[in-house]
Amino acid sequence: AAGGGEDGAPKRPYDLVVFGASGFTGQFVVEEVAQAAADGELRGPLRWAVAGRSREKLQTVLKWAAERLGKAAFGDEVGVVLCDVGDPASLAAMAKQTRLVLNCVGPYRFFGEPVVEACVENGTSCIDISGEPQFLEGMYLKYNDKAAAKGVYVIGSCGFDSIPADMGVLYTRDKLKGTLTAVESFLTVKSGPEGSCIHDGTWKSAVYGLADQDNLKKLRKKIGYAPVPVVGAKLKRRGLVFYNQEFKEYSIPFMGSDVSVVKRSQRYLHTQLKETPVQYGAYVNIGGLGSVIKLMFAGLLFLLLVKFSFGRKLLVNYPEFFSAGRFTKKGPTQKQMEGTSFTMTFFGEGYSEGQDPQSGKPNVKICTEVKGPEPGYVATPIAMVQAAVSLLEDAACLPKEGGVYSPGAAFSKTKLIDRLNKRGVEFSVISKPEI
């Protein structure tokens, strides 16, 4: 019993622990956990803790988060746990004290596995916000069976990568009268007069991820995924850059983990729950021709450098220069975050009730969207913490077996979308034109 208590096992002192709480993203996750606890989003009082290497830094973050929520300080209900990702014994000690770890220590390809291992070994569930397919799928290969045996859930990509996309596809499917067979999503990020930027932790993950594409292919061979059947008209792949009539701007394929995460969810829902798999393509709107030219130069330079170790050193040491100011070592200011928001628009097609999706052309369409605040440090903590609340509160609706899951696979039957809506990551139907 993960909660302890029922079988005479001592009850674990914490429901959840935020690991890496004093990191750039971790601090915002701490604030969001405190908010969820204050709002009484859980049935009982939430017992939680922060974890990391420095007691001083952890206490500073707790003080900062309390002030941001207009409190003097948190009481004894919030613990401080000292542990270091390089010290397995300390990770095991942390895992033993809680039902769930929110892991904010990335790049996950370097620091993720010891945390997953400690959690699985000690019967603790674990959530992360990785957008690194190689890490996510590597953890599936190594720990899925053991997590199932221990009855714990390891759920990766619970941030902006890839909850809006993964849950957005499921939302679109549930809102279509009939059978959804294909969806394309288009991401637009708007920023205010102050502009926007991303902390360089994410940049590092991208540098190392792109350098290692070949190993991802090998890993997928090793896993030996069952092919997902194509149902309905085959979704066409679009070009590297194309003009998008709907948005009157140029779009490119989205480079993040969304497509791989959605595919894992669809495979699970098809093989385990016999649901019709949905084909998916992900794109991002980049603006006018000027943006296209700038991006192509930057992209070519990046792909050239990322292949060589000295090139990767340059990229990692000078994120601001090589990303034209998009990624910085400081991360965005409060003002920049307040001025930034995202919209992900989903165009779905399928077959009306009674139409056979195996034959003929799709005859129904739907358009939905997910809107939210700044993706990296406002929407990501909301997504992560609501995933945590769903895991703790909607336990009866999770997959019957533990395992390593993508968000859509883990949360398709839970109240996660309702919970996100209440916190400002909003799912809605834009139009349902009948054809």
Side-chain angles (χ1 to χ4, degrees), residues 79 148 222 289 313 337 349:
K222 216 186 246 171
L289 207 50
K313 263 205 188 84
M337 286 193 263
E349 59 172 35

Side-chain angles (χ1 to χ4, degrees), residues 268-347:
Y268 171 83
L269 295 169
H270 173 66
T271 53
Q272 299 299 314
L273 305 182
K274 305 291 174 265
E275 291 172 8
T276 305
V278 179
Q279 306 168 66
Y280 175 62
Y283 301 94
V284 57
N285 298 329
I286 56 169
L289 207 50
S291 306
V292 172
I293 293 163
K294 266 198 271 194
L295 206 77
M296 284 176 77
F297 271 115
L300 285 170
L301 185 62
F302 190 92
L303 290 173
L304 201 69
L305 288 171
V306 86
K307 292 276 175 254
F308 305 100
S309 67
F310 83 91
R312 289 194 289 276
K313 263 205 188 84
L314 280 174
L315 287 168
V316 166
N317 288 335
Y318 304 103
E320 222 156 323
F321 177 78
F322 287 105
S323 69
R326 286 289 178 84
F327 291 84
T328 66
K329 288 188 185 281
K330 281 197 195 67
T333 63
Q334 192 55 42
K335 262 222 159 76
Q336 283 179 319
M337 286 193 263
E338 282 162 13
T340 306
S341 62
F342 79 88
T343 305
M344 201 178 261
T345 310
F346 297 81
F347 298 98

Side-chain angles (χ1 to χ4, degrees), residues 23-188:
F24 191 79
T25 309
Q27 60 185 341
F28 298 112
V29 173
V30 169
E31 183 188 2
E32 193 58 34
V33 170
Q35 186 73 58
D39 292 350
E41 285 179 24
L42 292 101
R43 276 171 293 220
L46 181 69
R47 301 161 307 133
W48 62 285
V50 290
R53 285 182 298 205
S54 153
R55 183 179 295 278
E56 202 178 356
K57 280 187 184 165
L58 294 170
Q59 273 157 346
T60 305
V61 163
L62 285 177
K63 202 174 144 204
W64 171 85
E67 276 164 17
R68 296 223 336 166
L69 295 180
K71 288 180 170 214
F74 299 119
D76 298 339
E77 78 277 9
V78 184
V80 173
V81 176
L82 289 186
C83 84
D84 183 338
V85 76
D87 173 5
S90 73
L91 292 176
M94 167 181 72
K96 285 189 174 97
Q97 294 181 63
T98 182
R99 295 163 58 194
L100 173 62
V101 169
L102 272 56
N103 182 13
C104 304
V105 181
Y108 292 93
R109 66 164 51 242
F110 299 131
F111 306 120
E113 184 174 346
V115 181
V116 172
E117 188 175 17
C119 285
V120 172
E121 290 295 337
N122 292 288
T124 307
S125 290
C126 177
I127 284 180
D128 70 53
I129 43 180
S130 168
E132 305 159 55
Q134 208 183 330
F135 167 73
L136 297 162
E137 296 178 43
M139 293 304 94
Y140 173 78
L141 180 64
K142 275 182 92 164
Y143 296 101
N144 186 51
D145 294 345
K146 194 160 224 185
K150 292 269 191 180
V152 298
Y153 299 91
V154 175
I155 309 170
S157 48
C158 285
F160 176 71
D161 300 292
S162 288
I163 277 186
D166 206 6
M167 300 310 290
V169 170
L170 296 183
Y171 176 83
T172 308
R173 176 198 75 177
D174 293 343
K175 293 295 177 198
L176 183 78
K177 293 247 184 299
T179 308
L180 182 72
T181 55
V183 182
E184 289 182 320
S185 69
F186 290 85
L187 170 65
T188 307

Side-chain angles (χ1 to χ4, degrees), residues 2 11 19 114 190 222-223 226 242 263-264 281 287 294 307-308 350 375 392 413 428:
K11 198 164 180 229
F19 178 51
K190 283 197 189 68
K222 216 186 246 171
I223 292 172
F242 57 94
K263 189 154 198 179
R264 286 172 55 214
K294 266 198 271 194
K307 292 276 175 254
F308 305 100
L392 295 169
K413 305 278 187 270
S428 61

Side-chain angles (χ1 to χ4, degrees), residues 40 45 58 126 205 214 229 235 237 250 281-282 321 340 355 358 367 375 406 425 435:
L58 294 170
C126 177
S205 301
D214 298 348
L235 187 59
R237 288 189 71 147
Y250 286 90
F321 177 78
T340 306
Q355 280 301 106
Q358 302 289 8
C367 174
S406 53
V425 174
I435 291 170

